[in-house]
Amino acid sequence: MHIKDKLAESARTGKPSFSFEFFPPKTAQGVQNLYDRMDRMHDLGPAFIDITWGAGGALASLTCEMVNVAQSVYGLETCMHLTCTDMEREKVDDALNEAYKAGCTNILALRGDPPRDKEKWQAVEGGFQYAKDLVKHIKKKFGDHFDIGVAGYPEGCDDQRDQEILMKHLKEKVDAGGTFIVTQMFYDVDNFLSWVNRCRAHGITVPIIPGIMPIQTHAAFLRRAKWSNCHVPKKWLDALEPIKNDDAAVREVGKGLVAEMCRQILSAGILQLHFYTMNLAQSTRMVLDELGLTSKNGTPTAKALPWRQSLGLHRREEDVRPIFWKNRNKTYVARTQDWDEFPNGRWGDSRSPAFGELDAYGIGLKGTNEQNIKLWGKPETLRDVANVFIKFLNKELQSLPWSESPLTSEAEEIRPDLIDLNKRGLLTLTSQPSVNGVKSSDPVHGWGPHGGYVYQKAYLEILVAPELISDLIKQIGKDPGVTFYAVNKDGDLRTNAPSDGPNAVTWGVFPGKEIVQPTIVETVSFLAWKDEAFRFGTDWAECHPPQSRSRDLIKSIMARWYLVNIVHNDFHSTHGIFDILKGFEVKNMDDLSGTIKHDTNGYHQSNGTPELNGDYHIDDKAAKNEVLALN
């Protein structure tokens, strides 16, 4: 979505919005840490983010990668910076093509700073002299695909302090096709508002977005103010000087100063605030909280769908996904990124026939072995494994091998039931409670347009020991309102689903729209998820040294146990799905010898496949043939 359209919507509703700027880190670990931070900051609800471009495109490939990840994986509307500095026309076109393929529709066109080894800025041969030339080139080559922003300097820039000349240049950039302006950072709000009035007097009518720099530390505050040559009001200096050596106090006082400046801006009718985060979250979050612009429960203030949408190329209209990847958004996006079309309206109407192979997309457990052992410990019994899951449910852990995000507030009402299952050796991977017609504005379960109602069936995905699987399936068979799938690592699939078609487990009813069914359970997707689920567990095992008790234990679970999903199709039933599992328990969970099974060569194997009625069995060969046909 174009930023100008987001700004127009904010103006129409009178609701303030905000955005974040990030820059490419210098190390691989820094990049991963920033991705994690971007993921968390998504839930603050930014209208968009932007990602900077190094002088001369020194970090060009990383900028393009970050734009792609932000758009496709994290569903963040992203604006890519693009500069003229040391950029031949071919480099510019390569960057624009990468942005296009990433689904990016917004560019901030800048002349840029000179590289550090050059005192003055100069255009390269075949490059662009001014930002206005870059704007014209983008418009000529891509038409209206990109919304183009330009920079504004209320207090001048490094090589030009004359405001009349700068105003003339700004007008030329806007006339060339710029549709919004992002300003350099400032702390003098009176000067900024006066500059805005001068822009309007010069016929510049496009939206102006003020650049806000939160205060992290006193030294950084002074350094950045000096770097940008911005005036700092005496009131600010007097407030911060006495506490300059107390970083926490500086952030607290700085929060109040910056928030008051933002209030003045909002009161003047400028409803978009752009935060220069410096790749940090705390100070920006503090200002937003002070302004009352963040949600109280830490979830996005509005969700179009119950899962996070990707904004990658061709994915903006995607509105149906299998529930299995509920806690693994990144891997679902990766494994489907080569699809030509994505499900819209109904699963199967426009779905590509194949999920990507795991190794082709780097699907697997992240983090080093040392980090993962520190996180999840060294389990030696099934009780130890179950306790890892229980710690996650008690919010003592932020992730599991199968869940890249912390437990959500949605699970709160069934959390005691989930903890009880794990205490009995039924390891819970994914779940959702039933919901019977709550408003779409509900802070926990709500999604979609205002004025609607949302529903969902109870869903549970668990790892089940092989000695329990036969009795569990018989128990499920007693309730005709419950459907299940069960599969082991080797592909032995059992189900009572009436067909391979989708079973909607989440849906919404909204004024003037057909019923929306964004989350489903179906056979082919479950088989694709099966490979991933067992891969994560195997990767967890291999974090531990060979021949270690922990590695043998986890590998044995992955080799022998069944991955089971259960849907209670009566959405009025809150705890019926847990009633089915009453009385099921793995014995001897503290036994050091009872969990691991070996064959004579030391490899793990089950003690045989449970005998089941034919009504509940799809043989391994048939399942594999189905997957092969789809690939």
Side-chain angles (χ1 to χ4, degrees), residues 23 184-185 187 213-230 232 276-278 280:
F23 62 85
Q184 179 66 284
M185 62 170 283
Y187 292 119
M213 178 72 77
I215 298 175
Q216 313 277 356
T217 67
H218 187 259
F221 162 67
L222 293 179
R223 183 171 63 252
R224 288 163 188 158
K226 181 179 180 181
W227 170 76
S228 61
N229 291 310
C230 74
V232 180
Y276 295 115
T277 68
M278 304 308 293
L280 301 172

Side-chain angles (χ1 to χ4, degrees), residues 31-48:
V31 172
Q32 186 55 55
N33 290 341
L34 179 56
Y35 284 155
D36 293 340
R37 185 162 290 136
M38 289 166 63
D39 189 13
R40 294 192 298 272
M41 292 180 77
H42 170 281
D43 287 348
L44 297 178
F48 67 92

